[in-house]
Amino acid sequence: MNTIETVRIAEVQDSALDLAAHERAVAGPQAGAIVSFQGVVRDHDDDRGVTLLEYEGHPTAAAVLREVAQEIAADPDVYAVAVSHRVGVLQIGDVALVASVSTAHRAAAFAACARLVDEAKARLPIWKRQVFTDGTEEWVNCP
């Protein structure tokens, strides 16, 4: 396990997410690879037009996100992790999730970033309301 703090950012916030800040947070002289992901609000879902999304988070969401980040950071190949999820009303093109991981080599960075995103999506108590162009709406990922 790494001896320095490897989880640089693990936040749930209601303001815009900054990919470059996440990449800077995981950068370092040992990092030969930095892989990042942005989950962006798209204008469709299952052939239905989407006008906006609203994310609502449980009060434990930030703690769960930190736990996920720490699990990924415990991988001996991982140098640093930064991840944030946005809550509130998001428009088409807004960023809902940002994740960045640094490692020595690209294969490990791609794998770690994919695990980070997949675990965050699977475990975060954050629910999404989709508003469609026809005026209907639905909640997704609700318990």
Side-chain angles (χ1 to χ4, degrees):
M1 185 165 188
N2 299 313
T3 57
I4 60 171
E5 175 62 37
T6 56
V7 176
R8 307 287 170 77
I9 300 171
E11 298 176 345
V12 174
Q13 63 188 61
D14 61 3
S15 57
L17 302 179
D18 184 350
L19 175 65
H22 284 68
E23 291 175 337
R24 283 191 303 274
V26 302
Q30 77 283 15
I34 295 173
V35 170
S36 297
F37 170 83
Q38 290 188 107
V40 180
V41 177
R42 63 184 182 273
D43 68 355
H44 66 280
D45 187 35
D46 290 330
D47 297 323
R48 296 173 73 186
V50 172
T51 60
L52 64 86
L53 299 181
E54 180 181 7
Y55 288 96
E56 188 172 311
H58 188 272
T60 62
V64 171
L65 187 59
R66 178 160 278 285
E67 179 180 290
V68 168
Q70 288 170 335
E71 289 173 13
I72 301 304
D75 180 331
D77 289 335
V78 172
Y79 293 139
V81 171
V83 60
S84 296
H85 200 296
R86 190 165 168 197
V87 293
V89 175
L90 281 72
Q91 303 298 320
I92 304 305
D94 286 347
V95 178
L97 174 69
V98 171
S100 296
V101 175
S102 64
T103 66
H105 303 285
R106 72 180 176 272
F110 277 112
C113 192
R115 284 193 321 272
L116 177 60
V117 171
D118 289 346
E119 285 297 311
K121 295 292 286 178
R123 293 170 43 193
L124 270 180
I126 292 180
W127 305 283
K128 175 173 69 174
R129 180 176 69 98
Q130 298 186 111
V131 178
F132 297 103
T133 54
D134 65 6
T136 62
E137 62 182 52
E138 73 178 355
W139 283 90
V140 181
N141 299 330
C142 292

mmCIF file of all heavy atoms in Angstrom, residues 35-64:
data_model
loop_
_atom_site.group_PDB
_atom_site.id
_atom_site.type_symbol
_atom_site.label_atom_id
_atom_site.label_comp_id
_atom_site.label_asym_id
_atom_site.label_seq_id
_atom_site.Cartn_x
_atom_site.Cartn_y
_atom_site.Cartn_z
ATOM 1 N N VAL A 35 -5.066 8.545 -16.357
ATOM 2 C CA VAL A 35 -6.271 8.264 -17.121
ATOM 3 C C VAL A 35 -7.442 8.925 -16.407
ATOM 4 O O VAL A 35 -7.563 8.821 -15.186
ATOM 5 C CB VAL A 35 -6.511 6.747 -17.272
ATOM 6 C CG1 VAL A 35 -7.883 6.460 -17.848
ATOM 7 C CG2 VAL A 35 -5.426 6.142 -18.151
ATOM 8 N N SER A 36 -8.283 9.594 -17.192
ATOM 9 C CA SER A 36 -9.432 10.297 -16.636
ATOM 10 C C SER A 36 -10.701 9.916 -17.379
ATOM 11 O O SER A 36 -10.662 9.494 -18.534
ATOM 12 C CB SER A 36 -9.234 11.809 -16.733
ATOM 13 O OG SER A 36 -8.126 12.198 -15.973
ATOM 14 N N PHE A 37 -11.810 10.114 -16.686
ATOM 15 C CA PHE A 37 -13.129 9.855 -17.244
ATOM 16 C C PHE A 37 -14.046 10.990 -16.838
ATOM 17 O O PHE A 37 -13.987 11.475 -15.715
ATOM 18 C CB PHE A 37 -13.687 8.532 -16.692
ATOM 19 C CG PHE A 37 -15.131 8.308 -17.037
ATOM 20 C CD1 PHE A 37 -15.492 7.778 -18.261
ATOM 21 C CD2 PHE A 37 -16.132 8.644 -16.138
ATOM 22 C CE1 PHE A 37 -16.824 7.584 -18.584
ATOM 23 C CE2 PHE A 37 -17.467 8.447 -16.452
ATOM 24 C CZ PHE A 37 -17.812 7.919 -17.682
ATOM 25 N N GLN A 38 -14.910 11.392 -17.767
ATOM 26 C CA GLN A 38 -15.980 12.338 -17.480
ATOM 27 C C GLN A 38 -17.299 11.713 -17.887
ATOM 28 O O GLN A 38 -17.445 11.271 -19.029
ATOM 29 C CB GLN A 38 -15.821 13.627 -18.287
ATOM 30 C CG GLN A 38 -14.679 14.500 -17.886
ATOM 31 C CD GLN A 38 -14.763 15.823 -18.616
ATOM 32 O OE1 GLN A 38 -15.099 16.826 -18.008
ATOM 33 N NE2 GLN A 38 -14.484 15.850 -19.896
ATOM 34 N N GLY A 39 -18.242 11.664 -16.973
ATOM 35 C CA GLY A 39 -19.608 11.264 -17.302
ATOM 36 C C GLY A 39 -20.384 12.529 -17.621
ATOM 37 O O GLY A 39 -20.568 13.374 -16.749
ATOM 38 N N VAL A 40 -20.827 12.670 -18.854
ATOM 39 C CA VAL A 40 -21.442 13.897 -19.357
ATOM 40 C C VAL A 40 -22.931 13.663 -19.605
ATOM 41 O O VAL A 40 -23.330 12.623 -20.136
ATOM 42 C CB VAL A 40 -20.746 14.343 -20.661
ATOM 43 C CG1 VAL A 40 -21.358 15.623 -21.206
ATOM 44 C CG2 VAL A 40 -19.245 14.517 -20.428
ATOM 45 N N VAL A 41 -23.750 14.620 -19.243
ATOM 46 C CA VAL A 41 -25.195 14.524 -19.470
ATOM 47 C C VAL A 41 -25.454 14.584 -20.974
ATOM 48 O O VAL A 41 -25.084 15.544 -21.642
ATOM 49 C CB VAL A 41 -25.956 15.662 -18.744
ATOM 50 C CG1 VAL A 41 -27.444 15.586 -19.064
ATOM 51 C CG2 VAL A 41 -25.700 15.605 -17.247
ATOM 52 N N ARG A 42 -26.086 13.523 -21.481
ATOM 53 C CA ARG A 42 -26.393 13.450 -22.908
ATOM 54 C C ARG A 42 -27.866 13.801 -23.152
ATOM 55 O O ARG A 42 -28.655 13.810 -22.220
ATOM 56 C CB ARG A 42 -26.070 12.058 -23.456
ATOM 57 C CG ARG A 42 -26.884 10.951 -22.844
ATOM 58 C CD ARG A 42 -26.433 9.573 -23.362
ATOM 59 N NE ARG A 42 -27.253 8.524 -22.792
ATOM 60 C CZ ARG A 42 -27.028 7.923 -21.622
ATOM 61 N NH1 ARG A 42 -25.985 8.276 -20.894
ATOM 62 N NH2 ARG A 42 -27.830 6.974 -21.190
ATOM 63 N N ASP A 43 -28.207 14.030 -24.400
ATOM 64 C CA ASP A 43 -29.555 14.479 -24.750
ATOM 65 C C ASP A 43 -30.520 13.348 -25.079
ATOM 66 O O ASP A 43 -31.598 13.593 -25.619
ATOM 67 C CB ASP A 43 -29.494 15.466 -25.917
ATOM 68 C CG ASP A 43 -29.064 14.822 -27.226
ATOM 69 O OD1 ASP A 43 -28.707 13.611 -27.248
ATOM 70 O OD2 ASP A 43 -29.068 15.533 -28.250
ATOM 71 N N HIS A 44 -30.171 12.106 -24.732
ATOM 72 C CA HIS A 44 -31.058 10.984 -25.032
ATOM 73 C C HIS A 44 -30.801 9.833 -24.057
ATOM 74 O O HIS A 44 -29.737 9.731 -23.454
ATOM 75 C CB HIS A 44 -30.829 10.477 -26.462
ATOM 76 C CG HIS A 44 -29.456 9.882 -26.642
ATOM 77 N ND1 HIS A 44 -28.330 10.644 -26.839
ATOM 78 C CD2 HIS A 44 -29.043 8.600 -26.600
ATOM 79 C CE1 HIS A 44 -27.275 9.864 -26.941
ATOM 80 N NE2 HIS A 44 -27.678 8.607 -26.796
ATOM 81 N N ASP A 45 -31.792 8.965 -23.937
ATOM 82 C CA ASP A 45 -31.672 7.724 -23.185
ATOM 83 C C ASP A 45 -32.705 6.756 -23.730
ATOM 84 O O ASP A 45 -33.900 7.064 -23.740
ATOM 85 C CB ASP A 45 -31.884 7.954 -21.682
ATOM 86 C CG ASP A 45 -31.594 6.717 -20.855
ATOM 87 O OD1 ASP A 45 -30.669 5.959 -21.217
ATOM 88 O OD2 ASP A 45 -32.291 6.498 -19.859
ATOM 89 N N ASP A 46 -32.240 5.607 -24.211
ATOM 90 C CA ASP A 46 -33.135 4.603 -24.789
ATOM 91 C C ASP A 46 -34.080 5.214 -25.837
ATOM 92 O O ASP A 46 -35.296 5.067 -25.762
ATOM 93 C CB ASP A 46 -33.946 3.901 -23.706
ATOM 94 C CG ASP A 46 -33.081 2.988 -22.855
ATOM 95 O OD1 ASP A 46 -32.080 2.459 -23.381
ATOM 96 O OD2 ASP A 46 -33.405 2.811 -21.676
ATOM 97 N N ASP A 47 -33.518 5.944 -26.777
ATOM 98 C CA ASP A 47 -34.273 6.539 -27.887
ATOM 99 C C ASP A 47 -35.288 7.586 -27.450
ATOM 100 O O ASP A 47 -36.216 7.913 -28.196
ATOM 101 C CB ASP A 47 -34.972 5.452 -28.729
ATOM 102 C CG ASP A 47 -33.980 4.510 -29.385
ATOM 103 O OD1 ASP A 47 -32.903 4.999 -29.802
ATOM 104 O OD2 ASP A 47 -34.266 3.308 -29.466
ATOM 105 N N ARG A 48 -35.147 8.117 -26.244
ATOM 106 C CA ARG A 48 -36.013 9.202 -25.768
ATOM 107 C C ARG A 48 -35.150 10.440 -25.571
ATOM 108 O O ARG A 48 -34.047 10.363 -25.032
ATOM 109 C CB ARG A 48 -36.669 8.828 -24.443
ATOM 110 C CG ARG A 48 -37.616 7.624 -24.575
ATOM 111 C CD ARG A 48 -38.120 7.173 -23.246
ATOM 112 N NE ARG A 48 -39.096 8.127 -22.714
ATOM 113 C CZ ARG A 48 -39.624 8.049 -21.512
ATOM 114 N NH1 ARG A 48 -39.258 7.080 -20.677
ATOM 115 N NH2 ARG A 48 -40.504 8.930 -21.099
ATOM 116 N N GLY A 49 -35.670 11.576 -25.986
ATOM 117 C CA GLY A 49 -34.953 12.826 -25.797
ATOM 118 C C GLY A 49 -34.947 13.235 -24.332
ATOM 119 O O GLY A 49 -35.959 13.118 -23.645
ATOM 120 N N VAL A 50 -33.805 13.700 -23.844
ATOM 121 C CA VAL A 50 -33.642 14.143 -22.460
ATOM 122 C C VAL A 50 -33.377 15.640 -22.453
ATOM 123 O O VAL A 50 -32.582 16.137 -23.256
ATOM 124 C CB VAL A 50 -32.473 13.386 -21.776
ATOM 125 C CG1 VAL A 50 -32.167 13.956 -20.406
ATOM 126 C CG2 VAL A 50 -32.785 11.895 -21.678
ATOM 127 N N THR A 51 -34.034 16.370 -21.541
ATOM 128 C CA THR A 51 -33.799 17.809 -21.440
ATOM 129 C C THR A 51 -32.875 18.166 -20.274
ATOM 130 O O THR A 51 -32.148 19.143 -20.350
ATOM 131 C CB THR A 51 -35.113 18.589 -21.282
ATOM 132 O OG1 THR A 51 -35.786 18.147 -20.100
ATOM 133 C CG2 THR A 51 -36.017 18.389 -22.486
ATOM 134 N N LEU A 52 -32.943 17.393 -19.179
ATOM 135 C CA LEU A 52 -32.072 17.650 -18.040
ATOM 136 C C LEU A 52 -32.075 16.451 -17.103
ATOM 137 O O LEU A 52 -32.930 15.582 -17.195
ATOM 138 C CB LEU A 52 -32.467 18.918 -17.268
ATOM 139 C CG LEU A 52 -33.828 18.964 -16.570
ATOM 140 C CD1 LEU A 52 -33.778 18.350 -15.173
ATOM 141 C CD2 LEU A 52 -34.284 20.402 -16.452
ATOM 142 N N LEU A 53 -31.103 16.435 -16.216
ATOM 143 C CA LEU A 53 -31.024 15.430 -15.156
ATOM 144 C C LEU A 53 -30.945 16.148 -13.826
ATOM 145 O O LEU A 53 -30.401 17.252 -13.736
ATOM 146 C CB LEU A 53 -29.772 14.558 -15.295
ATOM 147 C CG LEU A 53 -29.610 13.730 -16.549
ATOM 148 C CD1 LEU A 53 -28.306 12.938 -16.459
ATOM 149 C CD2 LEU A 53 -30.782 12.809 -16.760
ATOM 150 N N GLU A 54 -31.463 15.491 -12.813
ATOM 151 C CA GLU A 54 -31.306 15.987 -11.451
ATOM 152 C C GLU A 54 -30.786 14.833 -10.601
ATOM 153 O O GLU A 54 -31.391 13.759 -10.573
ATOM 154 C CB GLU A 54 -32.628 16.489 -10.882
ATOM 155 C CG GLU A 54 -32.483 17.008 -9.464
ATOM 156 C CD GLU A 54 -33.794 17.490 -8.876
ATOM 157 O OE1 GLU A 54 -34.851 17.304 -9.502
ATOM 158 O OE2 GLU A 54 -33.741 18.042 -7.774
ATOM 159 N N TYR A 55 -29.652 15.054 -9.944
ATOM 160 C CA TYR A 55 -29.081 14.047 -9.062
ATOM 161 C C TYR A 55 -29.339 14.441 -7.620
ATOM 162 O O TYR A 55 -29.117 15.595 -7.234
ATOM 163 C CB TYR A 55 -27.569 13.939 -9.265
ATOM 164 C CG TYR A 55 -27.184 13.277 -10.554
ATOM 165 C CD1 TYR A 55 -26.887 14.030 -11.685
ATOM 166 C CD2 TYR A 55 -27.096 11.895 -10.648
ATOM 167 C CE1 TYR A 55 -26.512 13.430 -12.873
ATOM 168 C CE2 TYR A 55 -26.726 11.281 -11.831
ATOM 169 C CZ TYR A 55 -26.431 12.051 -12.929
ATOM 170 O OH TYR A 55 -26.065 11.452 -14.106
ATOM 171 N N GLU A 56 -29.793 13.476 -6.846
ATOM 172 C CA GLU A 56 -30.028 13.678 -5.420
ATOM 173 C C GLU A 56 -29.192 12.649 -4.663
ATOM 174 O O GLU A 56 -29.224 11.461 -4.980
ATOM 175 C CB GLU A 56 -31.503 13.493 -5.109
ATOM 176 C CG GLU A 56 -31.872 13.869 -3.700
ATOM 177 C CD GLU A 56 -33.372 13.861 -3.494
ATOM 178 O OE1 GLU A 56 -34.086 14.462 -4.321
ATOM 179 O OE2 GLU A 56 -33.816 13.243 -2.514
ATOM 180 N N GLY A 57 -28.445 13.126 -3.673
ATOM 181 C CA GLY A 57 -27.561 12.232 -2.938
ATOM 182 C C GLY A 57 -27.976 12.054 -1.494
ATOM 183 O O GLY A 57 -28.468 12.984 -0.856
ATOM 184 N N HIS A 58 -27.777 10.857 -0.995
ATOM 185 C CA HIS A 58 -27.981 10.552 0.418
ATOM 186 C C HIS A 58 -26.868 11.249 1.210
ATOM 187 O O HIS A 58 -25.770 11.465 0.693
ATOM 188 C CB HIS A 58 -27.915 9.040 0.612
ATOM 189 C CG HIS A 58 -28.302 8.602 1.975
ATOM 190 N ND1 HIS A 58 -27.383 8.523 3.008
ATOM 191 C CD2 HIS A 58 -29.486 8.221 2.485
ATOM 192 C CE1 HIS A 58 -28.004 8.095 4.097
ATOM 193 N NE2 HIS A 58 -29.284 7.911 3.811
ATOM 194 N N PRO A 59 -27.111 11.610 2.471
ATOM 195 C CA PRO A 59 -26.064 12.261 3.273
ATOM 196 C C PRO A 59 -24.771 11.449 3.392
ATOM 197 O O PRO A 59 -23.708 12.020 3.645
ATOM 198 C CB PRO A 59 -26.726 12.448 4.639
ATOM 199 C CG PRO A 59 -28.183 12.515 4.340
ATOM 200 C CD PRO A 59 -28.400 11.589 3.171
ATOM 201 N N THR A 60 -24.828 10.142 3.179
ATOM 202 C CA THR A 60 -23.618 9.315 3.266
ATOM 203 C C THR A 60 -22.857 9.227 1.948
ATOM 204 O O THR A 60 -21.813 8.566 1.878
ATOM 205 C CB THR A 60 -23.978 7.878 3.705
ATOM 206 O OG1 THR A 60 -24.837 7.294 2.705
ATOM 207 C CG2 THR A 60 -24.642 7.856 5.068
ATOM 208 N N ALA A 61 -23.332 9.869 0.900
ATOM 209 C CA ALA A 61 -22.729 9.711 -0.426
ATOM 210 C C ALA A 61 -21.243 10.070 -0.442
ATOM 211 O O ALA A 61 -20.439 9.350 -1.044
ATOM 212 C CB ALA A 61 -23.495 10.540 -1.455
ATOM 213 N N ALA A 62 -20.857 11.147 0.194
ATOM 214 C CA ALA A 62 -19.438 11.539 0.188
ATOM 215 C C ALA A 62 -18.575 10.500 0.891
ATOM 216 O O ALA A 62 -17.473 10.174 0.425
ATOM 217 C CB ALA A 62 -19.262 12.909 0.831
ATOM 218 N N ALA A 63 -19.047 9.956 1.985
ATOM 219 C CA ALA A 63 -18.288 8.927 2.708
ATOM 220 C C ALA A 63 -18.162 7.660 1.875
ATOM 221 O O ALA A 63 -17.095 7.028 1.845
ATOM 222 C CB ALA A 63 -18.946 8.623 4.051
ATOM 223 N N VAL A 64 -19.213 7.290 1.183
ATOM 224 C CA VAL A 64 -19.168 6.108 0.325
ATOM 225 C C VAL A 64 -18.188 6.341 -0.822
ATOM 226 O O VAL A 64 -17.390 5.460 -1.165
ATOM 227 C CB VAL A 64 -20.573 5.743 -0.200
ATOM 228 C CG1 VAL A 64 -20.503 4.650 -1.259
ATOM 229 C CG2 VAL A 64 -21.479 5.329 0.948
#
